[in-house]
Amino acid sequence: AQSVTQPDIHITVSEGASLELRCNYSYGATPYLFWYVQSPGQGLQLLLKYFSGDTLVQGIKGFEAEFKRSQSSFNLRKPSVHWSDAAEYFCAVGPNSGNTPLVFGKGTRLSVIA
Amino acid sequence: GAVVSQHPSRVICKSGTSVKIECRSLDFQATTMFWYRQFPKQSLMLMATSNEGSKATYEQGVEKDKFLINHASLTLSTLTVTSAHPEDSSFYICSARDQQGYYGYTFGSGTRLTVV
């Protein structure tokens, strides 16, 4: 079965500290992996995606993610968190084409403290 | 980049009335549209998948007569909540995809529906 697990429901980090949000997936075919961010009352904004090639993917807002096939993981990282990064983060997996919907994790809420 | 325009962003309606939510792909052909519902502090729940020109496929537990989905063109899909009740109050988000997947999955900005 296809699934995405985000083990951390809520993470609090200090501004300027580094961040890693975990994501593990289970997918029958070659996965197309995504990280989205959602601010309260807003839609989803794509941070980055991975399908093939370099396993370290750079995204917007200074985020990056590393695909590790052996661990079925696609963790999101940022070296220095800003207060504006406080939001909900969703990891998702899907096919590279066709009409199959994304499978989402339950999300990780990030709080940033001064 | 690909953009999906979703309207309205917020709507308040009286119980028993119907509400239509529109999603338009502005710069690509959305052969497939996904409609999600999101409860506070929860993840997205897939309601239905629609392919242009075909009937929508609804997820288990989603009432197709209450949530009418139309995808009559490659750039427009609509979700109509019929005879809305307070329990239908939620955040609804659409996501569009082109056939080749070139644009990935592009999300609308969401619609906050409040039924009073």
Side-chain angles (χ1 to χ4, degrees):
Chain A
Q2 301 160 1
S3 66
V4 175
T5 302
Q6 292 180 248
D8 304 304
I9 296 174
H10 183 205
I11 285 181
T12 300
V13 300
S14 298
E15 190 170 16
S18 64
L19 170 70
E20 182 170 34
L21 301 183
R22 296 182 291 165
C23 173
N24 292 94
Y25 67 90
S26 174
Y27 199 72
T30 302
Y32 195 2
L33 294 155
F34 304 80
W35 274 100
Y36 290 90
V37 61
Q38 184 181 34
S39 297
Q42 302 296 314
L44 272 67
Q45 182 182 24
L46 178 66
L47 287 175
L48 47 79
K49 60 187 177 184
Y50 171 81
F51 178 66
S52 64
D54 192 344
T55 56
L56 185 62
V57 183
Q58 301 298 319
I60 63 172
K61 303 185 179 185
F63 285 92
E64 66 178 27
E66 185 171 13
F67 172 62
K68 293 185 178 180
R69 185 184 299 274
S70 62
Q71 299 177 19
S72 296
S73 69
F74 189 55
N75 295 347
L76 182 71
R77 301 193 295 247
K78 186 170 184 177
S80 178
V81 170
H82 189 263
W83 64 266
S84 60
D85 293 324
E88 190 83 21
Y89 291 80
F90 293 98
C91 181
V93 65
N96 68 317
S97 64
N99 60 3
T100 303
L102 287 176
V103 176
F104 282 91
K106 293 186 180 299
T108 297
R109 183 161 59 95
L110 173 65
S111 296
V112 181
I113 58 176
Chain B
V3 176
V4 171
S5 176
Q6 183 171 347
H7 292 281
S9 57
R10 292 178 179 271
V11 58
I12 301 174
C13 71
K14 291 184 177 181
S15 187
T17 62
S18 296
V19 173
K20 180 183 284 189
I21 301 169
E22 290 189 350
C23 272
R24 294 180 183 272
S25 57
L26 299 186
D27 45 12
F28 68 100
Q29 294 184 333
T31 50
T32 304
M33 193 75 80
F34 306 100
W35 286 93
Y36 295 86
R37 182 173 181 176
Q38 186 179 33
F39 293 102
K41 299 186 178 182
Q42 293 190 25
S43 188
L44 282 73
M45 181 188 78
L46 180 67
M47 299 175 65
T49 300
S50 72
N51 294 301
E52 183 265 338
S54 302
K55 288 185 178 180
T57 301
Y58 290 81
E59 296 299 301
Q60 190 173 8
V62 177
E63 299 177 61
K64 61 181 180 181
D65 294 330
K66 165 168 276 296
F67 299 101
L68 300 179
I69 292 172
N70 184 284
H71 192 172
S73 79
L74 285 171
T75 59
L76 174 65
S77 179
T78 61
L79 167 67
T80 302
V81 183
T82 63
S83 186
H85 291 284
E87 57 266 29
D88 299 323
S89 298
S90 192
F91 193 61
Y92 294 88
I93 307 177
C94 64
S95 173
R97 185 157 170 81
D98 61 301
Q99 180 61 41
Q100 292 76 25
Y102 180 77
Y103 295 103
Y105 297 82
T106 306
F107 285 82
S109 55
T111 297
R112 169 71 61 194
L113 170 64
T114 303
V115 185
V116 298

